[in-house]
Amino acid sequence: MTQLSRLLAPGRRGFLAGLAITAGSLALPRGLAAQEGPKQGGTLRYGMNDGSQTETLDPAGWATVTTGVAFNGALCNNLVELLPDGSIAGDLAESWSSDEAAVRWTFVLRKGVKFHDGRPFTAEDARQSILHHMGEGSTSGALAIVEQIADVAVEGEDLVFTLSAGNADFPALLSDYHLSIFPAREGGGIDWESGIGTGAFKLVSFEPGIAISLVRNPDYHKPGLPHFDALEIINIPDSTARLNALLTGEVDVIEDVDIRNIAMVEGNPDLKVVRTPSLRHLTFDMNCKVAPYDNPAVRKALKLAIDRDDILQKVFLGEGEKGNDTPVARIMPYFSETPPQHQYDPEAAKAILSEAGLDGVTVDLSVAESAFPGAVEAAVLFKEHAAKAGITINIVNEADDGYWDNVWLQKPFNASDWYGRVTLDWLFATSYTSDAPWNNTGFNNARFDELQKAARTELDQAKRAAIYAEMQQILHDDGGVITVAFVSWRLAMSANIGHGPMGGILPGDNHRAAERWWRLDA
Amino acid sequence: MTRKPRPILSMVASRVGLGVLSLVIVSLVIFSAVAMLPGSYASAILGQNATPEAVAAMEEQLGLNEPWFLRYLGWLGAAAMGDMGMSFAGRPVMDVIGPRLLNTVVLASITAVIAVPVSIALGIVCARFRGRFIDKFLSTSTLASISVPEFFVAYIVMMVLAVKLQLFPSMAGIRASMDWGDQLYRMVLPILTLLLVILAHMVRNTRAAILSVMASPYIEMARLKGEPEARVVMRQALPNAIGPIASVVALNLAYLISGVVVIEVVFVYPGVGQAMIDAVRNRDVPVIQACALIFAAAYIGFNLIADVISIISNPRLLHPR
């Protein structure tokens, strides 16, 4: 049901086998059937939590929400755009098609698009922007994506990718925020230093870690966009200072409002809290290769020995959605329900253990506050829940600093914070197949690996959905991940900011807040 | 004992030498401490995109695969030539820190220009009218303002002046693109907070320094001569209390350069303290080193100046027995 409607979602048509589907008509992220139409004018002042003085205009080095919203979403465009519903539409590419094996992909580029300095956008610009992340010694954040590309060439006015192996999801991967398009330089490479893109806003000033200031691009290729005249991205690392800035009207929107302050913001008639379901999920991961977690009965028992509702209410103050032991968010294409929903059932957990000949289990759970916000409190509750099932959890308080180097992927039972990936293929290939670089659960399931390979080149939507449903069920039944909750992006904003349905795959309305939102008081 | 021709100059020269040695030791301690911290720039920056290959490639580009003491020696050599090197993010360290250091110096200077004369004057008033209402009032209020943490003072100031009265902006996030008047307007609240914090300290110490001199027999003598009390304080006591006052002023000036990070965070002021926090979070060693050197140099420099002032005001200190 849900799957079907997702399959029919317009943007997914771009994947249909061997057909050149015109995605151009879908390029405008409307869905703005609001009672009050967007107004032109005004400035958006956006308070960020993660800006840093290490930030650069070089797309290979972008890693923060700040660079995402300012550079990827406002200054630049990708070949494709992530729509609010998570599907893919054309942006600088108008349409695309692939051969039967999903190896060779041809992108027809949009005509008449201009960079901010007036020079026309060409296929060579797109090619160099991809090549920028490839090659020996690349330190790009998009390395894992571009490694699949064997060759990228300009043919006529089109851009042709040849992949080293078929990948039906390839267009979706091109939405990765690092793969923004910059003008090509004579003799190869791209000119990112001048801060010239094709996006809805032109760069005025960039003070890393302090503020980024942009102004409307009157020649933007999407008619009627953007609505704002100017954009100010202001870095406010401290969460109290960020809230103060919003309360005193210094900024219009703030990222990542503290859950303890939500009631206060919602009680203020001039402000609102906007929650957007995201891919981000908080987990306790068991390494399936290490005793006692190598015993499926132990994994199953632990999944039934945690009261997710209790943790959600007490630690996250109700902000989030209960997980069901897969890493797949409800908003993802090919999400599938994985029955049964694992509920807290200490008796059943005890029964599973005694059936397996185990009389009580003792485990060490490694946590730190930096694992995810509230990880320590969640672990303490988990310990109490599990005790009723005859499972003893020893909480190991790890150092906050260096948690991701010394504990994550190292200790057999640890807390983890996942930001998710745009496609299931990418999610599984990076974190759940036996050879995945971030296989924190040490998952090693031959059937799962086989299905992953099959799905990757499967262009038939129905077959693909069936494969992904089976994979999610395998993870749910047999995997090492205890998904505590999926969390939402929490923006606090002035009631004067208008917006349509928001995308949650990336923060800030899939990074494109600046061109999608508007001021009601403009 | 042979007398050197220019005792103060030679004293300054030897102090500067010791200061430089201290800086080298500070830099070594910081560098090794950062090397011992878990995590590296590459893993901090790449975050959830940190594939092993990308991390390895970045570490090799940054030279992080070399042992830390080799990197330290390389850094020290360049620093000795005045080259603070490149931030791991690819910009010269001075480009990263420069504008922020300027912000810090501007904030510190404005605060100091107001705080030093005011606090010394108030300290003298307290000493002169010791035990009277004005003394008791200032002593109590300065004690109260020393006793609460600085961020609390900051939030009180913000609540009253920015939220309730709406006279000043709550955010002091000044930028290079703003003009001077605008920048100054935004700096009012952090300046006010810093004033409240350091005034208290300096007033109390000035008062204490003068009062300890006031207990000396020669003050008794001056009074017996019939000099008016104000003249006793200004002419007899104050000149002999300059040494201790200079020390406490130096301490507070150094604090203004290197210790105001909490105020910077609360008011979102882009100073060098925030630069250091940012650099530590990202393990950007060259920037951390530069910040540490600036902080250490501020402490050493101001204390040296205070010592020189003490000695000029009290030449006996040049000949310690």
Side-chain angles (χ1 to χ4, degrees):
Chain A
M1 345 113 299
T2 342
Q3 294 165 22
L4 253 183
S5 65
R6 278 184 188 284
L7 293 177
L8 296 174
R12 310 300 309 178
R13 277 195 263 140
F15 294 149
L16 287 184
L19 290 173
I21 296 290
T22 302
S25 58
L26 309 167
L28 303 177
R30 288 291 92 119
L32 306 176
Q35 51 283 65
E36 208 173 346
K39 293 186 182 171
Q40 293 296 128
T43 300
L44 174 67
R45 295 162 304 162
Y46 201 138
M48 290 291 173
N49 61 332
D50 67 348
S52 165
Q53 63 204 7
T54 55
E55 281 167 354
T56 152
L57 277 161
D58 180 356
W62 294 348
T64 57
V65 181
T66 309
T67 46
V69 171
F71 298 153
N72 172 244
L75 185 70
C76 296
N77 297 100
N78 286 36
L79 290 175
V80 300
E81 173 177 348
L82 261 178
L83 293 187
D85 68 359
S87 62
I88 298 292
D91 196 339
L92 290 183
E94 239 166 23
S95 62
W96 49 85
S97 57
S98 83
D99 62 2
E100 291 284 330
V103 167
R104 195 184 138 89
W105 288 86
T106 305
F107 283 76
V108 179
L109 304 182
R110 192 174 298 278
K111 310 259 181 326
V113 177
K114 283 193 172 67
F115 284 103
H116 294 152
D117 61 351
R119 74 184 110 161
F121 157 70
T122 66
E124 182 62 14
D125 298 317
R127 176 169 170 265
Q128 290 298 342
S129 297
I130 302 295
L131 286 177
H132 179 65
H133 303 273
M134 299 168 65
E136 278 292 303
S138 165
T139 58
S140 169
L143 191 59
I145 295 174
V146 296
E147 271 174 345
Q148 308 175 18
I149 302 173
D151 182 51
V152 48
V154 175
E155 286 184 13
E157 292 184 335
D158 299 343
L159 193 64
V160 176
F161 293 91
T162 310
L163 308 186
S164 43
N167 188 343
D169 273 339
F170 183 68
L173 296 183
L174 289 179
S175 73
D176 183 72
Y177 57 89
H178 302 96
L179 302 178
S180 297
I181 306 299
F182 279 92
R185 218 194 276 282
E186 297 254 347
I190 51 169
D191 170 22
W192 52 263
E193 291 92 339
S194 350
I196 289 168
T198 55
F201 290 86
K202 302 179 182 190
L203 187 64
V204 175
S205 72
F206 171 36
E207 296 172 59
I210 300 173
I212 307 170
S213 166
L214 301 100
V215 64
R216 187 170 199 273
N217 171 11
D219 303 323
Y220 194 44
H221 66 269
K222 298 179 189 172
L225 295 183
H227 304 299
F228 299 113
D229 287 338
L231 172 66
E232 299 273 324
I233 307 275
I234 302 159
N235 185 36
I236 315 177
D238 182 62
S239 77
T240 310
R242 207 157 57 242
L243 185 63
N244 278 336
L246 181 71
L247 291 174
T248 55
E250 294 284 320
V251 294
D252 304 306
V253 184
I254 55 170
E255 271 295 330
D256 195 30
V257 57
D258 193 310
I259 54 174
R260 285 163 298 193
N261 294 328
I262 280 187
M264 176 184 163
V265 175
E266 290 191 321
N268 186 329
D270 299 330
L271 304 175
K272 59 185 172 185
V273 174
V274 178
R275 298 173 180 84
T276 313
S278 75
L279 307 182
R280 183 178 175 192
H281 50 289
L282 315 175
T283 63
F284 292 121
D285 289 346
M286 305 172 278
N287 188 327
C288 306
K289 287 182 186 155
V290 178
Y293 318 103
D294 56 351
N295 185 341
V298 171
R299 300 205 289 269
K300 186 84 184 170
L302 276 162
K303 286 175 183 175
L304 295 177
I306 182 169
D307 188 344
R308 293 170 182 78
D309 296 304
D310 192 39
I311 293 174
L312 205 52
Q313 285 313 316
K314 289 181 178 148
V315 181
F316 306 125
L317 307 180
E319 296 287 334
E321 197 201 337
K322 182 161 60 165
N324 192 20
D325 300 334
T326 82
V328 184
R330 201 168 281 280
I331 60 168
M332 283 195 81
Y334 303 110
F335 164 82
S336 155
E337 296 284 354
T338 49
Q341 165 71 45
H342 283 152
Q343 298 285 7
Y344 180 45
D345 191 345
E347 293 309 317
K350 210 181 259 176
I352 289 170
L353 287 179
S354 60
E355 216 170 281
L358 292 166
D359 185 25
V361 176
T362 301
V363 294
D364 291 339
L365 173 57
S366 300
V367 289
E369 183 58 25
S370 61
F372 59 79
V376 178
E377 292 92 331
V380 170
L381 288 175
F382 188 9
K383 177 192 170 94
E384 295 304 316
H385 303 150
K388 295 210 178 77
I391 300 171
T392 311
I393 295 181
N394 297 319
I395 297 175
V396 184
N397 270 303
E398 305 281 356
D400 266 338
D401 219 7
Y403 182 87
W404 301 103
D405 292 284
N406 300 337
V407 179
W408 192 67
L409 292 183
Q410 311 288 328
K411 299 290 168 71
F413 192 16
N414 63 58
S416 181
D417 185 348
W418 301 89
Y419 293 163
R421 303 285 172 182
V422 179
T423 66
L424 278 191
D425 176 63
W426 194 11
L427 173 69
F428 292 150
T430 48
S431 310
Y432 291 95
T433 55
S434 55
D435 57 352
W438 299 296
N439 189 353
N440 194 32
T441 54
F443 197 52
N444 187 359
N445 183 307
R447 174 75 184 151
F448 187 86
D449 286 4
E450 192 184 303
L451 288 171
Q452 145 83 11
K453 286 207 183 67
R456 177 170 272 195
T457 50
E458 181 56 69
L459 289 156
D460 183 311
Q461 296 300 296
K463 283 187 193 157
R464 216 156 174 238
I467 296 174
Y468 279 136
E470 184 182 347
M471 291 175 82
Q472 290 171 62
Q473 196 64 45
I474 291 176
L475 275 176
H476 170 271
D477 297 342
D478 191 43
V481 53
I482 300 175
T483 312
V484 181
F486 283 89
V487 292
S488 298
W489 304 112
R490 286 183 314 272
L491 292 170
M493 58 171 78
S494 153
N496 286 328
I497 300 297
H499 56 82
M502 276 205 206
I505 304 235
L506 297 171
D509 204 350
N510 289 347
H511 282 171
R512 308 209 75 84
E515 70 173 40
R516 290 179 182 169
W517 302 354
W518 61 90
R519 283 200 87 93
L520 297 169
D521 59 349
Chain B
M1 182 178 168
T2 53
R3 227 163 206 263
K4 287 180 187 144
R6 285 193 171 153
I8 290 183
L9 268 189
S10 68
M11 191 276 303
V12 169
S14 72
R15 285 298 190 84
V16 169
L18 282 174
V20 171
L21 184 65
S22 314
L23 285 185
V24 173
I25 293 170
V26 165
S27 73
L28 178 62
V29 169
I30 301 275
F31 206 105
S32 55
V34 174
M36 275 186 275
L37 283 178
S40 76
Y41 179 78
S43 55
I45 286 296
L46 289 168
Q48 298 215 347
N49 292 312
T51 54
E53 305 93 82
V55 170
M58 189 178 272
E59 298 204 329
E60 191 172 331
Q61 277 182 16
L62 296 171
L64 288 177
N65 44 359
E66 287 180 38
W68 71 267
F69 51 89
L70 283 184
R71 282 186 283 133
Y72 175 71
L73 288 179
W75 174 85
L76 189 64
M81 310 296 287
D83 174 12
M84 297 311 289
M86 297 288 277
S87 149
F88 286 168
R91 290 192 299 150
V93 168
M94 285 327 289
D95 281 9
V96 175
I97 297 183
R100 287 169 177 267
L101 183 60
L102 181 70
N103 289 342
T104 293
V105 169
V106 168
L107 183 65
S109 310
I110 298 177
T111 309
V113 163
I114 302 171
V116 172
V118 170
S119 60
I120 292 177
L122 287 180
I124 293 170
V125 167
C126 284
R128 165 65 185 84
F129 299 105
R130 179 185 187 184
R132 307 265 279 277
F133 171 76
I134 180 81
D135 177 35
K136 284 188 174 153
F137 172 74
L138 284 172
S139 295
T140 318
S141 51
T142 54
L143 194 62
S145 119
I146 283 183
S147 311
V148 289
E150 54 199 339
F151 66 86
F152 187 69
V153 176
Y155 281 132
I156 297 274
V157 165
M158 190 191 283
M159 195 180 81
V160 174
L161 293 177
V163 179
K164 296 288 178 206
L165 300 178
Q166 306 202 340
L167 292 175
F168 297 100
S170 68
M171 238 176 64
I174 62 164
R175 292 178 232 157
S177 50
M178 293 175 179
D179 64 38
W180 257 101
D182 206 6
Q183 294 201 3
L184 205 59
Y185 174 59
R186 291 197 165 262
M187 283 162 69
V188 168
L189 292 192
I191 289 174
L192 198 60
T193 308
L194 286 173
L195 279 180
L196 288 174
V197 173
I198 66 167
L199 263 182
H201 193 212
M202 292 200 289
V203 168
R204 295 187 67 81
N205 277 277
T206 306
R207 175 181 179 276
I210 294 177
L211 286 181
S212 80
V213 175
M214 297 281 278
S216 320
Y218 70 88
I219 298 290
E220 199 65 36
M221 185 63 203
R223 285 193 179 126
L224 290 175
K225 276 197 314 191
E227 292 213 29
E229 188 67 10
R231 199 176 148 85
V232 172
V233 170
M234 296 305 289
R235 292 289 299 274
Q236 314 285 341
L238 186 58
N240 286 297
I242 282 177
I245 293 174
S247 301
V248 70
V249 169
L251 208 60
N252 279 289
L253 293 186
Y255 160 82
L256 284 179
I257 296 290
S258 58
V260 297
V261 62
V262 175
I263 305 284
E264 286 179 12
V265 168
V266 170
F267 290 108
V268 204
Y269 188 81
V272 81
Q274 292 227 50
M276 185 158 182
I277 292 185
D278 194 330
V280 170
R281 203 178 55 198
N282 289 321
R283 306 282 186 268
D284 194 345
V285 183
V287 177
I288 300 175
Q289 289 289 85
C291 292
L293 281 192
I294 290 168
F295 295 159
Y299 265 96
I300 293 170
F302 283 120
N303 278 303
L304 178 61
I305 294 169
D307 285 353
V308 171
I309 292 175
S310 305
I311 287 169
I312 293 171
S313 75
N314 186 355
R316 277 175 299 178
L317 292 174
L318 265 187
H319 309 285
R321 268 170 292 177

